[in-house]
Amino acid sequence: MLSILTTVNPDAKVVLIRILGLNTNGRAGGYTIDDVTTALRWGVNNASRLNIKAVSISQGRVNAPCRATSELVGAVSSLKQQEVAVIASTGNEKNRTNIAVPACIDDVVSVGATDNPLAGSAWDRKVAPTIALYSNGNSSTDFYTNCRFFHTAMNGSKQFAVGTSNATAAFAGWWMRNLKPTITETYNSIASTATNTSNQWLTGRYVLIP
């Protein structure tokens, strides 16, 4: 995710906050809503000191209907009061009714994925975007954007991946490149550039990230 975010915005200054460990096979381990809440509270406590302007969360799972804890909602609200945007992925479960926690929280900028039909290739801006068939989404999803990236893995190799996590990291980088004095101004500025996108079940706003 860091590789994707900094591809979109090479000038971004990023603080990595761990919410999960690694399994013995080197893959990501488990985490809970409380882990995400703890990370956001760290952001609340350090937003001013580190000049934090956005938090990107490429984690989440569907707990319909948006079973976010009051503590998680409160942490998001506290960040918003400090003009720190929380940006989170909708998830990849093909759910066309519900989106993941914390993306489903009203104060979170939710990001779903768009795709194109060129399998195994990076995004082709010449191809009309459609909402990815695996992307969760509903009428409250804020934005969809491209999700196809070659990224740098932890061992330094180049790998190809798709998913709403990628779209969220890319969108967070784009948010910082278009940052305005307030969350509302930044949101409206990006929304003003959006076009419509859809698939058989969903429609929404598509943001082209060059």
mmCIF file of all heavy atoms in Angstrom, residues 184-205:
data_model
loop_
_atom_site.group_PDB
_atom_site.id
_atom_site.type_symbol
_atom_site.label_atom_id
_atom_site.label_comp_id
_atom_site.label_asym_id
_atom_site.label_seq_id
_atom_site.Cartn_x
_atom_site.Cartn_y
_atom_site.Cartn_z
ATOM 1 N N THR A 184 -13.844 19.269 3.778
ATOM 2 C CA THR A 184 -14.955 19.555 2.867
ATOM 3 C C THR A 184 -14.462 20.144 1.556
ATOM 4 O O THR A 184 -14.913 19.744 0.470
ATOM 5 C CB THR A 184 -15.947 20.525 3.537
ATOM 6 O OG1 THR A 184 -16.477 19.914 4.712
ATOM 7 C CG2 THR A 184 -17.088 20.880 2.587
ATOM 8 N N GLU A 185 -13.519 21.054 1.627
ATOM 9 C CA GLU A 185 -12.994 21.671 0.405
ATOM 10 C C GLU A 185 -12.241 20.649 -0.445
ATOM 11 O O GLU A 185 -12.375 20.640 -1.676
ATOM 12 C CB GLU A 185 -12.079 22.836 0.766
ATOM 13 C CG GLU A 185 -12.797 24.058 1.312
ATOM 14 C CD GLU A 185 -11.820 25.118 1.779
ATOM 15 O OE1 GLU A 185 -11.279 24.991 2.894
ATOM 16 O OE2 GLU A 185 -11.585 26.073 1.008
ATOM 17 N N THR A 186 -11.457 19.807 0.181
ATOM 18 C CA THR A 186 -10.726 18.784 -0.570
ATOM 19 C C THR A 186 -11.705 17.798 -1.212
ATOM 20 O O THR A 186 -11.571 17.447 -2.386
ATOM 21 C CB THR A 186 -9.753 18.029 0.347
ATOM 22 O OG1 THR A 186 -8.904 18.951 1.014
ATOM 23 C CG2 THR A 186 -8.904 17.055 -0.453
ATOM 24 N N TYR A 187 -12.678 17.367 -0.433
ATOM 25 C CA TYR A 187 -13.689 16.428 -0.924
ATOM 26 C C TYR A 187 -14.413 17.012 -2.130
ATOM 27 O O TYR A 187 -14.550 16.353 -3.175
ATOM 28 C CB TYR A 187 -14.673 16.115 0.193
ATOM 29 C CG TYR A 187 -15.685 15.042 -0.122
ATOM 30 C CD1 TYR A 187 -15.521 13.755 0.376
ATOM 31 C CD2 TYR A 187 -16.817 15.314 -0.887
ATOM 32 C CE1 TYR A 187 -16.452 12.767 0.109
ATOM 33 C CE2 TYR A 187 -17.745 14.335 -1.168
ATOM 34 C CZ TYR A 187 -17.564 13.058 -0.663
ATOM 35 O OH TYR A 187 -18.497 12.078 -0.941
ATOM 36 N N ASN A 188 -14.869 18.245 -2.002
ATOM 37 C CA ASN A 188 -15.629 18.866 -3.090
ATOM 38 C C ASN A 188 -14.764 19.094 -4.320
ATOM 39 O O ASN A 188 -15.244 18.968 -5.456
ATOM 40 C CB ASN A 188 -16.235 20.185 -2.617
ATOM 41 C CG ASN A 188 -17.355 19.988 -1.616
ATOM 42 O OD1 ASN A 188 -17.921 18.902 -1.506
ATOM 43 N ND2 ASN A 188 -17.678 21.026 -0.867
ATOM 44 N N SER A 189 -13.501 19.418 -4.113
ATOM 45 C CA SER A 189 -12.596 19.619 -5.240
ATOM 46 C C SER A 189 -12.413 18.330 -6.030
ATOM 47 O O SER A 189 -12.479 18.322 -7.267
ATOM 48 C CB SER A 189 -11.240 20.129 -4.739
ATOM 49 O OG SER A 189 -10.321 20.238 -5.807
ATOM 50 N N ILE A 190 -12.201 17.215 -5.327
ATOM 51 C CA ILE A 190 -12.045 15.934 -6.010
ATOM 52 C C ILE A 190 -13.360 15.502 -6.652
ATOM 53 O O ILE A 190 -13.387 15.017 -7.785
ATOM 54 C CB ILE A 190 -11.527 14.867 -5.028
ATOM 55 C CG1 ILE A 190 -10.094 15.210 -4.606
ATOM 56 C CG2 ILE A 190 -11.583 13.475 -5.644
ATOM 57 C CD1 ILE A 190 -9.514 14.289 -3.546
ATOM 58 N N ALA A 191 -14.459 15.707 -5.939
ATOM 59 C CA ALA A 191 -15.769 15.330 -6.476
ATOM 60 C C ALA A 191 -16.090 16.088 -7.759
ATOM 61 O O ALA A 191 -16.756 15.555 -8.660
ATOM 62 C CB ALA A 191 -16.853 15.570 -5.433
ATOM 63 N N SER A 192 -15.600 17.311 -7.859
ATOM 64 C CA SER A 192 -15.890 18.117 -9.046
ATOM 65 C C SER A 192 -15.231 17.559 -10.304
ATOM 66 O O SER A 192 -15.628 17.903 -11.416
ATOM 67 C CB SER A 192 -15.444 19.564 -8.819
ATOM 68 O OG SER A 192 -14.020 19.671 -8.811
ATOM 69 N N THR A 193 -14.217 16.721 -10.127
ATOM 70 C CA THR A 193 -13.526 16.121 -11.281
ATOM 71 C C THR A 193 -14.074 14.741 -11.627
ATOM 72 O O THR A 193 -13.653 14.148 -12.621
ATOM 73 C CB THR A 193 -12.022 15.981 -10.995
ATOM 74 O OG1 THR A 193 -11.806 14.958 -9.999
ATOM 75 C CG2 THR A 193 -11.433 17.297 -10.506
ATOM 76 N N ALA A 194 -14.973 14.228 -10.790
ATOM 77 C CA ALA A 194 -15.441 12.853 -10.950
ATOM 78 C C ALA A 194 -16.422 12.720 -12.110
ATOM 79 O O ALA A 194 -17.132 13.665 -12.474
ATOM 80 C CB ALA A 194 -16.089 12.369 -9.656
ATOM 81 N N THR A 195 -16.433 11.519 -12.683
ATOM 82 C CA THR A 195 -17.425 11.148 -13.689
ATOM 83 C C THR A 195 -18.195 9.936 -13.178
ATOM 84 O O THR A 195 -17.868 9.379 -12.126
ATOM 85 C CB THR A 195 -16.747 10.823 -15.028
ATOM 86 O OG1 THR A 195 -15.791 9.767 -14.829
ATOM 87 C CG2 THR A 195 -16.030 12.053 -15.586
ATOM 88 N N ASN A 196 -19.209 9.538 -13.918
ATOM 89 C CA ASN A 196 -20.015 8.398 -13.487
ATOM 90 C C ASN A 196 -19.385 7.078 -13.929
ATOM 91 O O ASN A 196 -18.766 6.989 -14.989
ATOM 92 C CB ASN A 196 -21.424 8.497 -14.060
ATOM 93 C CG ASN A 196 -22.215 9.634 -13.452
ATOM 94 O OD1 ASN A 196 -22.008 10.001 -12.301
ATOM 95 N ND2 ASN A 196 -23.108 10.214 -14.232
ATOM 96 N N THR A 197 -19.550 6.067 -13.104
ATOM 97 C CA THR A 197 -19.132 4.714 -13.447
ATOM 98 C C THR A 197 -20.179 3.751 -12.917
ATOM 99 O O THR A 197 -20.999 4.113 -12.066
ATOM 100 C CB THR A 197 -17.749 4.385 -12.876
ATOM 101 O OG1 THR A 197 -17.331 3.099 -13.365
ATOM 102 C CG2 THR A 197 -17.762 4.348 -11.349
ATOM 103 N N SER A 198 -20.170 2.519 -13.399
ATOM 104 C CA SER A 198 -21.191 1.566 -12.979
ATOM 105 C C SER A 198 -20.767 0.149 -13.314
ATOM 106 O O SER A 198 -19.767 -0.086 -13.993
ATOM 107 C CB SER A 198 -22.528 1.884 -13.674
ATOM 108 O OG SER A 198 -22.406 1.706 -15.073
ATOM 109 N N ASN A 199 -21.521 -0.809 -12.817
ATOM 110 C CA ASN A 199 -21.543 -2.175 -13.326
ATOM 111 C C ASN A 199 -22.997 -2.615 -13.325
ATOM 112 O O ASN A 199 -23.897 -1.772 -13.276
ATOM 113 C CB ASN A 199 -20.613 -3.098 -12.526
ATOM 114 C CG ASN A 199 -21.016 -3.236 -11.056
ATOM 115 O OD1 ASN A 199 -22.145 -2.943 -10.657
ATOM 116 N ND2 ASN A 199 -20.080 -3.687 -10.241
ATOM 117 N N GLN A 200 -23.234 -3.912 -13.367
ATOM 118 C CA GLN A 200 -24.629 -4.362 -13.455
ATOM 119 C C GLN A 200 -25.446 -4.023 -12.220
ATOM 120 O O GLN A 200 -26.676 -3.984 -12.278
ATOM 121 C CB GLN A 200 -24.678 -5.889 -13.663
ATOM 122 C CG GLN A 200 -24.072 -6.357 -14.958
ATOM 123 C CD GLN A 200 -22.626 -6.791 -14.791
ATOM 124 O OE1 GLN A 200 -21.835 -6.076 -14.169
ATOM 125 N NE2 GLN A 200 -22.285 -7.948 -15.343
ATOM 126 N N TRP A 201 -24.790 -3.768 -11.086
ATOM 127 C CA TRP A 201 -25.501 -3.596 -9.825
ATOM 128 C C TRP A 201 -25.303 -2.230 -9.190
ATOM 129 O O TRP A 201 -26.124 -1.798 -8.386
ATOM 130 C CB TRP A 201 -25.050 -4.661 -8.820
ATOM 131 C CG TRP A 201 -25.227 -6.054 -9.319
ATOM 132 C CD1 TRP A 201 -26.373 -6.826 -9.252
ATOM 133 C CD2 TRP A 201 -24.250 -6.860 -9.972
ATOM 134 N NE1 TRP A 201 -26.151 -8.053 -9.817
ATOM 135 C CE2 TRP A 201 -24.856 -8.110 -10.274
ATOM 136 C CE3 TRP A 201 -22.921 -6.655 -10.338
ATOM 137 C CZ2 TRP A 201 -24.174 -9.139 -10.921
ATOM 138 C CZ3 TRP A 201 -22.235 -7.677 -10.981
ATOM 139 C CH2 TRP A 201 -22.860 -8.905 -11.255
ATOM 140 N N LEU A 202 -24.207 -1.558 -9.503
ATOM 141 C CA LEU A 202 -23.842 -0.347 -8.777
ATOM 142 C C LEU A 202 -23.565 0.808 -9.723
ATOM 143 O O LEU A 202 -23.141 0.600 -10.864
ATOM 144 C CB LEU A 202 -22.570 -0.599 -7.948
ATOM 145 C CG LEU A 202 -22.638 -1.653 -6.861
ATOM 146 C CD1 LEU A 202 -21.217 -1.961 -6.350
ATOM 147 C CD2 LEU A 202 -23.516 -1.195 -5.710
ATOM 148 N N THR A 203 -23.796 2.007 -9.249
ATOM 149 C CA THR A 203 -23.351 3.221 -9.933
ATOM 150 C C THR A 203 -22.652 4.104 -8.905
ATOM 151 O O THR A 203 -22.947 4.027 -7.697
ATOM 152 C CB THR A 203 -24.526 3.996 -10.560
ATOM 153 O OG1 THR A 203 -25.449 4.372 -9.509
ATOM 154 C CG2 THR A 203 -25.246 3.155 -11.592
ATOM 155 N N GLY A 204 -21.740 4.929 -9.364
ATOM 156 C CA GLY A 204 -21.040 5.791 -8.436
ATOM 157 C C GLY A 204 -20.140 6.777 -9.132
ATOM 158 O O GLY A 204 -20.166 6.895 -10.371
ATOM 159 N N ARG A 205 -19.345 7.493 -8.351
ATOM 160 C CA ARG A 205 -18.455 8.523 -8.875
ATOM 161 C C ARG A 205 -17.059 7.946 -9.082
ATOM 162 O O ARG A 205 -16.456 7.400 -8.157
ATOM 163 C CB ARG A 205 -18.391 9.721 -7.915
ATOM 164 C CG ARG A 205 -19.702 10.491 -7.863
ATOM 165 C CD ARG A 205 -19.572 11.698 -6.963
ATOM 166 N NE ARG A 205 -19.420 11.310 -5.568
ATOM 167 C CZ ARG A 205 -19.580 12.139 -4.530
ATOM 168 N NH1 ARG A 205 -19.865 13.407 -4.756
ATOM 169 N NH2 ARG A 205 -19.415 11.721 -3.301
#
